[in-house]
Amino acid sequence: MRVEPSWLNQLLKISVKFLMTSPEIASLSWGQMKVKGSNTTYKDCKVWPGGSRTWDWRETGTEHSPGVQPADVKEVVEKGVQTLVIGRGMSEALKVPSSTVEYLKKHGIDVRVLQTEQAVKEYNALVAQGVRVGGVFHSTC
């Protein structure tokens, strides 16, 4: 068995990461989101090229105010996204402080902050265009 150099393994991992596409948001209603390719029904979720998961606010201590923290989006940023869409909730109760927007811009990421229904439409449009897009979405208030 031939062992590949570590730099080649790293290059292969990076190449696979950049070939994955972002999953479409299949449905959204109050308190429920479905992502294509996942059997999970999410209340709040994170999506990125190649995957999705529950966005558990308890992991970072997130609350409606001050809102989405850099720690909430870091995982999605590390997936190599070009654009990040943030859904602030159906009534836009979830805040997004300037520190989070600045964090994303510092990492060269285009950020779109929208009401969640509009955010999902924007996200899905970017997916259809082949953009390496990620998102964090709040599906209630």
Side-chain angles (χ1 to χ4, degrees):
M1 179 169 113
R2 185 174 165 261
V3 177
E4 297 176 356
S6 63
W7 65 267
L8 185 54
N9 286 332
Q10 190 65 19
L11 181 62
L12 288 170
K13 287 178 188 176
I14 292 168
S15 297
V16 167
K17 181 168 107 173
F18 281 90
L19 289 173
M20 290 185 270
T21 59
S22 301
E24 184 180 326
I25 305 293
S27 67
L28 167 68
S29 60
W30 185 273
Q32 296 187 345
M33 297 184 71
K34 290 265 196 193
V35 176
K36 282 193 177 174
S38 173
N39 293 324
T40 304
T41 299
Y42 301 108
K43 176 183 168 229
D44 300 318
C45 72
K46 296 181 179 188
V47 290
W48 59 83
S52 65
R53 78 170 183 92
T54 295
W55 177 18
D56 182 352
W57 292 15
R58 292 173 295 190
E59 293 173 357
T60 57
T62 296
E63 295 184 14
H64 286 97
S65 183
V68 182
Q69 302 300 302
D72 293 309
V73 298
K74 183 176 187 254
E75 174 183 16
V76 180
V77 167
E78 291 173 347
K79 304 293 184 179
V81 299
Q82 298 168 283
T83 302
L84 183 83
V85 180
I86 299 174
R88 295 188 50 213
M90 301 301 225
S91 303
E92 298 183 270
L94 179 61
K95 307 278 189 231
V96 180
S98 59
S99 59
T100 301
V101 173
E102 290 166 11
Y103 169 83
L104 292 164
K105 289 184 176 182
K106 179 180 156 190
H107 284 85
I109 296 167
D110 178 32
V111 59
R112 318 249 173 119
V113 178
L114 301 161
Q115 184 268 356
T116 296
E117 290 165 310
Q118 294 304 313
V120 167
K121 288 178 186 173
E122 179 74 5
Y123 171 87
N124 281 342
L126 291 166
V127 168
Q129 295 169 27
V131 174
R132 289 188 53 76
V133 62
V136 293
F137 301 98
H138 178 46
S139 73
T140 59
C141 52

